[in-house]
Amino acid sequence: MSRPDSFRSPEPLPAALRGMRAPQHVTVLVADVEAFSSRTDTDQMRTREALYEEFRAAFGEELWALCLREDRGDGLLIVVPPRIPKAMVLGTFLPRLERALADRRRGDPLLRIRIAVHAGDVHFDEHGLGGHAVNQAFRLCDSAPLRAAIRTARSDSALLVSDAIHDNVVRGGYENISAASFHAVDVSVKETRTRAWLHVAGDDEAAVRVARETAAAAGRGTAAEDGSGEREPGRERSPERGSESGWGSGREGDGDRTADPTGGISLRAGGDLTIERDSMIAGRDISTGEERRRPRWRRS
């Protein structure tokens, strides 16, 4: 992959650094089209063309040419060079994209897009690009909260930004970026456990609903309850909040927690557990809030 001039160093590297492939701190955007694989081959090709067309129009031809892009089949990886402010990505390009999607709403081909934005060091080589920042962006785009948001939203895009983007951009008071419309969610994808911030343009209720469901599945409160987008007082940020198995994936494992439609919960763990009444558990010592007892085993 050849890099545009916007990614080239304006000055020669010092002698000690020559031969090294120095990473660059950039904005990483990943987009994925909802329900892409269910389309025919012909419709998939038309959808890809429409996806590129809308992003190119949102960025504008001049700035679009400055970005690195990797095709992902049903989506797109965009690396925005350092010279383009992150606030412009969130406050100009993405709102412009949402307006365009609204204009073509339920058009042909249908475009409903999950978008994740992160920032960090990206490494370049003859094969393309990589690094933790790229992995993180893909994890956010593939996360359950973002999938739930686009599945239920009235609008045609859902955005999830990393903690770094939230702290440095969303909360920066920039034009067209309202911190109150970003809601905290816990993300658990593969090895990634992190906090991110969900935004659904034109349907804030969808973002609030997903944030509350995420928090409920993790067994804690949420800053989304007051719509402020702020962290709860006294809560420290942690990359592993809530249950270790994620925000409600339903996968079995130590500390696995699954929502029960009757109002109770079912847990499985290798250690002691404390839960509310009328719940069903399997483990060692059990406490229901009234008394502590050992499980009884019938001898054969």
Side-chain angles (χ1 to χ4, degrees):
M1 172 186 291
S2 61
R3 286 190 275 174
D5 291 339
S6 54
F7 286 88
R8 301 184 188 280
S9 176
E11 299 178 359
L13 289 173
L17 297 179
R18 290 173 191 167
M20 296 179 61
R21 298 184 182 275
Q24 292 196 39
H25 190 89
V26 297
T27 305
V28 183
L29 186 153
V30 175
D32 190 275
V33 177
E34 184 76 357
F36 183 85
S37 60
S38 63
R39 309 179 189 203
T40 66
D41 287 355
T42 301
D43 285 341
Q44 286 183 8
M45 298 307 293
R46 294 172 55 242
T47 300
R48 284 162 46 83
E49 184 62 33
L51 176 69
Y52 274 86
E53 180 182 309
E54 297 296 356
F55 268 97
R56 185 185 302 111
F59 276 75
E61 290 291 348
E62 182 179 356
L63 297 182
W64 182 249
L66 298 178
C67 298
L68 281 175
R69 302 176 298 277
E70 276 194 0
D71 184 79
R72 311 303 297 186
D74 59 352
L76 183 61
L77 166 65
I78 303 173
V79 179
V80 183
R83 69 173 66 177
I84 299 179
K86 299 174 182 64
M88 182 175 288
V89 176
L90 265 65
T92 300
F93 301 155
L94 294 184
R96 191 182 291 164
L97 174 67
E98 172 56 31
R99 289 193 296 270
L101 293 176
D103 289 342
R104 62 173 292 142
R105 185 149 296 161
R106 307 299 181 257
D108 184 26
L110 175 63
L111 282 182
R112 289 176 60 76
I113 307 173
R114 302 193 315 273
I115 302 171
V117 179
H118 181 46
D121 283 354
V122 170
H123 299 258
F124 302 89
D125 59 21
E126 61 271 17
H127 306 295
L129 51 89
H132 178 74
V134 176
N135 296 339
Q136 185 84 342
F138 275 103
R139 299 290 187 267
L140 295 179
C141 193
D142 196 38
S143 67
L146 188 58
R147 288 181 177 275
I150 192 62
R151 188 168 57 246
T152 61
R154 293 191 301 268
S155 54
D156 289 328
S157 70
L159 169 66
L160 191 64
V161 304
S162 66
D163 230 3
I165 290 292
H166 181 265
D167 286 350
N168 294 290
V169 183
V170 173
R171 299 181 68 184
Y174 297 107
E175 186 177 2
N176 297 327
I177 303 175
S178 171
S181 66
F182 286 77
H183 306 280
V185 295
D186 290 324
V187 169
S188 176
V189 181
K190 296 184 178 179
E191 302 87 359
T192 299
R193 305 289 187 275
T194 190
R195 168 65 62 90
W197 298 81
L198 180 64
H199 170 79
V200 180
D203 192 358
D204 191 59
E205 291 181 1
V208 171
R209 181 172 59 252
V210 170
R212 285 176 173 167
E213 291 171 354
T214 303
R220 61 168 179 78
T222 174
E225 291 177 358
D226 63 5
S228 66
E230 299 290 337
R231 294 185 183 86
E232 294 179 47
R235 286 190 178 268
E236 297 294 329
R237 183 191 307 125
S238 169
E240 296 187 6
R241 300 175 63 95
S243 67
E244 293 180 359
S245 63
W247 74 283
S249 62
R251 292 188 297 273
E252 291 189 358
D254 288 347
D256 189 72
R257 184 183 310 221
T258 306
D260 184 339
T262 65
I265 58 173
S266 175
L267 300 94
R268 178 178 299 169
D272 295 348
L273 294 172
T274 301
I275 62 173
E276 299 300 324
R277 302 173 66 181
D278 300 322
S279 297
M280 200 167 67
I281 65 173
R284 291 204 301 240
D285 289 356
I286 300 171
S287 173
T288 63
E290 293 182 344
E291 62 178 351
R292 190 174 182 87
R293 63 184 183 275
R294 293 269 182 183
R296 297 179 180 176
W297 305 101
R298 178 177 300 174
R299 294 184 179 180
S300 58

